[in-house]
């Protein structure tokens, strides 16, 4: 296993470090409530192509995008807050599958809010959700931030090889007192994960370990851009680059951009450079 993959294993093992309806701004959309997500609207961008859905990663809340809100003006941002993450009660996310139901809810929100082909930007687990929404054909363009099509690949595995293990770990974390206590301790110590529910995190990790969107990437018909984190070590960065290039090779025309040095939270580690890349992406550049 390469050093880059070892770093990814540490990242996803503590993937937690990645981390009703509320309305503000000038626009008021059709009433929308969900037991899986809460939505907040920021910004006053108007017109076609000015709506952007921002999806945070595992255990993170919308606050990870604060630098974007202040740094890339002129857009109306729709911020997703997954219930069970970062202080929200789990509600319908308390048990069962998470990824596909949450993607379905975000798509339902887009319809209720009258969004026409919004740009969708997702970090980590949010990147998986962004790709799922791209496959639903509701997006105008998709940006994935530091996530591979197969969640297990982020720690050097495969969905077929790690799915069973993920199911067993999920049962340990949610079904045993020791497992729940251990996961709760990780959540309490991880930046951005405070107030996240251990059961929801365990179920999300299980889903991520079982998903592999690689074979479906060719069905995403809109522009796809992938921004991924690299460290300062050239050999490590080269290994990560090879992993991302191989993983997204099935999607012809996908634009891959390394950004670093960064561990995983690219928008926090390199805010000025990330905002410049995002501004170009939203403006239709590549």
């Amino acid at each position: 296993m390469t050093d880059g993959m070892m770093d990814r294993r540490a990242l996803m093992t503590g993937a937690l470090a990645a981390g009703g309806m509320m309305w503000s701004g000038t626009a008021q959309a059709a009433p929308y409530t969900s037991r899986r997500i809460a939505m907040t609207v920021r910004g006053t961008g108007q017109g076609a192509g000015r709506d952007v859905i921002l999806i945070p990663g595992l255990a993170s809340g919308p606050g990870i995008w604060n630098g974007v809100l202040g740094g890339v003006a002129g857009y109306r941002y729709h911020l997703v807050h997954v219930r069970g993450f970062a202080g929200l009660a789990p509600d319908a996310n308390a048990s069962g599958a998470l990824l596909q139901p949450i993607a379905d809810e975000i798509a339902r929100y887009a319809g209720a809010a009258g969004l026409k082909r919004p740009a969708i930007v997702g970090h980590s687990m949010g990147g998986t959700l962004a790709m799922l929404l791209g496959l639903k054909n509701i997006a105008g363009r998709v940006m994935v931030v530091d996530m591979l099509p197969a969640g297990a690949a982020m720690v050097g595995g495969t969905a077929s090889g790690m799915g069973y293990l993920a199911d067993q770990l999920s049962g340990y974390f949610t079904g045993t007192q020791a497992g729940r206590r251990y996961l709760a301790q990780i959540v309490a110590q991880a930046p951005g994960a405070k107030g996240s529910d251990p059961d929801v995190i365990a179920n999300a990790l299980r889903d991520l370990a079982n998903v592999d969107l690689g074979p479906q990437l060719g069905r995403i018909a809109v522009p796809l851009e992938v921004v991924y984190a690299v460290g300062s070590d050239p050999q490590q960065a080269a290994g990560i680059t090879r992993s991302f290039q191989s993983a997204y090779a099935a999607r012809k025309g996908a634009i891959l951009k390394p950004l670093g040095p960064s561990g995983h939270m690219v928008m926090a580690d390199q805010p000025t450079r990330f905002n410049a890349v995002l501004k170009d992406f939203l403006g239709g550049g590549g």
Side-chain angles (χ1 to χ4, degrees):
M1 185 181 295
T2 67
D3 289 343
M5 287 304 180
M6 288 292 288
D7 281 359
R8 281 306 194 271
R9 178 180 293 280
L11 175 89
M12 292 296 283
T13 302
L16 321 168
M21 173 79 173
M22 295 173 60
W23 291 94
S24 67
T26 60
Q28 182 81 22
Y32 171 88
T33 58
S34 170
R35 296 184 60 206
R36 292 194 178 272
I37 60 174
M39 299 297 301
T40 306
V41 180
R42 293 284 185 266
T44 58
Q46 300 292 323
R50 311 311 286 183
D51 285 299
V52 183
I53 297 176
L54 297 176
I55 313 174
L58 185 71
S60 297
I64 70 165
W65 303 112
N66 284 346
V68 168
L69 302 184
V72 186
Y75 294 90
R76 185 170 59 163
Y77 292 104
H78 305 259
L79 294 101
V80 177
H81 195 159
V82 174
R83 296 194 182 278
F85 289 170
L88 283 189
D91 206 333
N93 292 334
S95 62
L98 281 176
L99 287 178
Q100 193 61 60
I102 290 172
D104 292 343
E105 280 299 279
I106 298 173
R108 187 171 71 85
Y109 166 79
L115 306 187
K116 305 299 182 183
R117 313 292 289 182
I120 300 178
V121 181
H123 173 254
S124 194
M125 186 185 97
T128 301
L129 290 165
M131 285 184 275
L132 286 170
L133 290 163
L135 291 167
K136 284 178 170 292
N137 199 34
I138 67 166
R141 53 185 49 240
V142 173
M143 174 182 278
V144 176
V145 183
D146 210 43
M147 191 64 188
L148 293 167
M154 293 294 286
V155 293
T158 65
S160 60
M162 294 191 69
Y164 176 77
L165 176 60
D167 290 341
Q168 299 306 303
L169 285 174
S170 178
Y172 169 72
F173 285 139
T174 61
T176 70
Q177 184 176 1
R180 289 179 62 82
R181 182 168 57 249
Y182 177 68
L183 191 54
Q185 289 173 351
I186 294 175
V187 171
Q189 296 170 4
K194 184 177 180 181
S196 294
D197 185 270
D199 287 352
V200 179
I201 292 173
N203 288 337
L205 286 170
R206 179 204 60 216
D207 277 12
L208 285 169
N210 280 285
V211 71
D212 183 0
L213 300 178
Q216 303 181 63
L217 287 178
R219 291 178 42 221
I220 299 179
V222 298
L224 173 65
E225 186 163 315
V226 182
V227 177
Y228 60 96
V230 293
S232 56
D233 180 79
Q235 185 175 358
Q236 180 196 60
I240 293 172
T241 293
R242 285 193 297 270
S243 296
F244 273 82
Q245 289 176 341
S246 175
Y248 285 95
R251 176 49 167 81
K252 294 181 179 180
I255 297 173
L256 275 66
K257 293 184 177 180
L259 203 58
S262 175
H264 182 52
M265 298 292 289
V266 185
M267 67 289 290
D269 295 337
Q270 297 290 340
T272 301
R273 294 174 62 198
F274 178 80
N275 284 351
V277 169
L278 179 62
K279 184 176 182 180
D280 186 53
F281 166 77
L282 294 177

